Every structure is written in C-alpha cells, then in structure tokens.
Amino acid sequence: MNDLSDAPQRTADGEEVRADFVPVAAYISRDHAEREKERLWPRVWQVACREEEIPNAGDFVTYDIADDSIAVVRQQSGDIAAFYNVCPHRGRRLTEGCGKMGRFHCKYHGWKWSLDGAPVDVVDRDNWGTSLPDEDIALGAVRVGTWGGWVFVCMDSEAESLEEFLEPAAAQLAPFEFEKMRYVWRKSIVMPCNWKVALEAFDEGYHVQTTHRQLLPYMDDLTYSEARGKHGMFGYAPTTLFGLPSPRLGEQKGDVRKGLYLFNKEIWDTLQATSTLEMLAAAKRLEAEVPEDADPFTVYGAFAQFHREEAAKNGRPFPDVPVETLMSTGTDWHIFPNLVFLHQPTNMLWYRARPNGDDPSSCIFEINVIERFAEGAEPDVGVEHGADWAEVDWGLILAQDFQNMGEVQKGMKSRGFKGARTNPVQERAISNFHQTLHHYLADKN
Ligand code: FES
Ligand SMILES: [Fe+2]
C-alpha cells in the first residue's frame, strides 16, 4: 500500500476527503460495506484472538470476518498457523467457534489434514488417480503474526509485514508489555449500529462532558487526539489536573488527593475496568501519606508509586514504563482497522468490532478486560454472549456509551444528515481512521 499522503482527494462517491468531515455513506451505505468486504478486510492485519486462547497444540479459534472465515491453530512446534476455514473438496467450513483438535476433519466426506494444513486422509483417493496432488488440497495458509499478546491475521500475501503495519504504535507502546496481560472478562454482543460507530464511541474523550457527566467533579476532561500512522490515539495534556473538577464546572479547586480517590472509586464502581482495586487502594493512601498542601504533580507521583507498591503486595508484576512513554501514549488507541483499547500499566479495556453479515447497521462488538497477574493466578475466562446489550449488566459507563450507538445509527439514516463533523482537536483519531480507510477502499493496487 502506498504512503497515506498519496490518498486520493475524493471518495468513491465523488465526495471530497476532509479531515473534519466524514460522509455518511461510510456508516449506512451497503455499497460502502461491500467495498470494505472487497478492499479492506482482505488486505489488513486484524486481531483474530489472543495467544492465551490457544495455549496448546491443537487449540484453535475460528475468526469470521465478512464472508471469510479463518482457523487459527497452535502447531505441535508451538508456533501459530492460520488457514482459510474451507474444505478444498466441495467447500464445507471445517471449524466453528473454538476448541481443540488432533487434526482438521471435514464433516461432509471425511477428509483430514494435519495441524499444519497438509492432507493426511482423502476417502477413496484412488478414485482421482493421479489428479489430486497434495498441493492442490492443502489448506490455504493465511499470514499470522503476534503483537501485544494478540494474534493477527492477514489474507493479503502482498501486504506489508505486521511490524510495519503496526508502526509507530508497536514501538511506542512496547514498554507496557501487553503480551503479559491475561483475560479478566470477555463479552460479545450484537450492536444495532455500523462497526465504525461502535468503535468511534471509544475513539475520543470529547463525549465525556455529556455522556459521562458524573465524572466531571473529579476530572479535567479536555483531551487532545492525534494520528499515529494508520492508527490514532487520544490523551490528556501533561498539565491536566486529574482529581480536580473539570474547568467546565467552574474554578478548578479542591483536594487532589480526595479527587483522585473519588475518581478511581467511581470508575471502579461503574466500569470495573481501567481502574483496579489496587489503584483504588493507592488513591486511598494519598490523604494519609501526602501533605494536604502538596503540589498536584507531587500527588500524581505518589499515586504512581503507591500503585506500584499495592501491586507488589499482591505479587502483581508491574512494567517499567518510562514517564515520557506514559505521557506520550495517552489514554486510548485505535489500531486500524478495528481494535480500540484503553491502557494502564497493569490492565487494559479493549474492544473489537466487525460487520454482522451484510447489514451496515449491525455489528458484532466485543468488550474485553485484560490484566497482569501473578504467575499462576490467571483466571480461566470464557466469553459471554448477549443477544441484546440492554439485557446485560455493563455498569453505568458502558451502558451510557451503548445508549448512543443505536441512536447514532438511526440518526445517520436521516435525510437531514450528510456526514460526521469530527472535532479537529479532540476527534482527530476518528478523521484519521476514515482517511486510512478511504485509502484502502480507493487504492487500485
Ligand atoms: S466437502 Fe469436505 S470432504 Fe467433502
Ligand atoms: Fe464513553
């Protein structure tokens, strides 16, 4: 793929490509969804699963994306391989969901393959004489790579390497050691919105002042947002006064020590992610152990130190993340095309969204929390599937986010809506997402 600066200036619908405007077709048009199916999904690196889901030889996960299905399977060697999930005989899908196999086995006529995709048994093979060589009926290999504990797959043999695709995100985020985190909980839901609407609900902090207004007494919510290659992020300026009320509420006065505790408590009580009980314990110590007249940045330093100490009490490993990295990597990343996460030193909330069939107004949305654990303390976690988000207990914050999604999708179908006007300061990650997406859809290579 060419450098992004080569991006054509008009969409396939003839509309101008602008940094602060996303034409509505990207969210509601069947043609657009069809182009994504032809030009986006087959050409990008995308998350199929996490490595921990397939720890042993024969463990597999089936990753379905648009009309394709890919079986990701741990080899006897310990490596991970991926194959198109289709039988070369007459096209039956071979696997579904996840599980453990000794070999691939087609349930239609019983052909079998070893874990590396080589055919090992073709029933009545002599019926073909010499016209059925192994190379014609080996399972089709799909490229695989890993980063941060995720297993990525790519169907395009010509595409850049995973390492190139992920830059600069991979290098900038490396000190967090995401690959050492393990699942805490996983939920999957069908959302009544386009897959991009779901992701974009978590691509910016601009909505906090209205959607999550209850947080404003403890947080300065003003964010910045940046493009980082194909990817995007948002964060808070280094001068942000966490633990004090948002300037939107008036003067930023108060006790930072109490504010940090109340903020972490509110997040823990209503999200059970991005804050942890150890962060809560660390924040609780501030009032007793840090003088009342301490500078806010002294309080933040003490909080970071106490967090490390509280984690150590539980034997929880803590990565060595330089302060500059903490500052420069912000709060939230969108890894193109469909991985979004909010990261902390010991935990992460991450999302993946995919189209649900051919309907541009429906998506499969997965919400996951991963965390560092003391060795041997990792829980055994399965995925919970919900049919309707409103019937699942998500806590207040996610419920607030989810309430917007279906309403956005309905609103976007209005004849009165021409496109999204993304904030050039706080929603830059969203406009960069669409510029990158547009480049894939329009690229003729
Ligand atoms: S379709 Fe798979 S063995 Fe016939
Ligand atoms: Fe939100």
Side-chain angles (χ1 to χ4, degrees), residues 168-300:
Q172 292 180 2
L173 292 159
F176 284 92
E177 302 179 330
F178 299 146
E179 65 279 5
K180 296 181 178 169
M181 293 182 177
R182 296 292 178 268
Y183 279 118
V184 180
W185 57 262
R186 306 171 59 190
K187 292 181 183 177
S188 174
I189 200 93
V190 173
M191 277 290 175
C193 65
N194 186 269
W195 64 277
K196 299 183 288 295
V197 168
L199 290 176
E200 289 167 16
F202 303 97
D203 264 1
E204 42 88 2
Y206 181 44
H207 69 283
V208 169
Q209 36 80 25
T210 296
T211 295
H212 310 300
R213 196 162 183 84
Q214 74 277 8
L215 299 177
L216 294 195
Y218 329 107
M219 74 178 291
D220 179 346
D221 59 295
L222 195 72
T223 54
Y224 69 93
S225 176
E226 288 180 357
R228 303 261 174 110
K230 294 180 175 61
H231 320 292
M233 55 78 72
F234 78 77
Y236 298 87
T239 50
T240 299
L241 295 174
F242 291 105
L244 289 182
S246 166
R248 299 178 199 277
L249 300 184
E251 210 183 334
Q252 285 193 286
K253 279 195 314 200
D255 187 332
V256 175
R257 303 168 310 164
K258 284 184 193 159
L260 271 187
Y261 172 71
L262 291 171
F263 177 73
N264 276 283
K265 179 158 176 22
E266 179 77 23
I267 294 288
W268 176 253
D269 288 347
T270 59
L271 184 61
Q272 304 251 309
T274 75
S275 188
T276 63
L277 285 171
E278 286 154 7
M279 288 168 76
L280 200 54
K284 199 164 177 64
R285 286 172 54 186
L286 294 171
E287 222 178 320
E289 299 181 44
V290 179
E292 189 177 353
D293 59 356
D295 171 80
F297 294 92
T298 304
V299 179
Y300 305 149

Side-chain angles (χ1 to χ4, degrees), residues 5 25 48 55 61 64 68 98 100 108 129 147 153 177 210 262 307 340 356 393 422 444:
S5 58
V61 166
D64 297 327
D68 274 294
C98 57
K100 188 170 190 64
Y108 199 170
W147 172 68
V153 292
E177 302 179 330
T210 296
L262 291 171
H307 181 198
V340 170
N356 181 32
D393 180 11
T422 46
K444 300 291 185 289

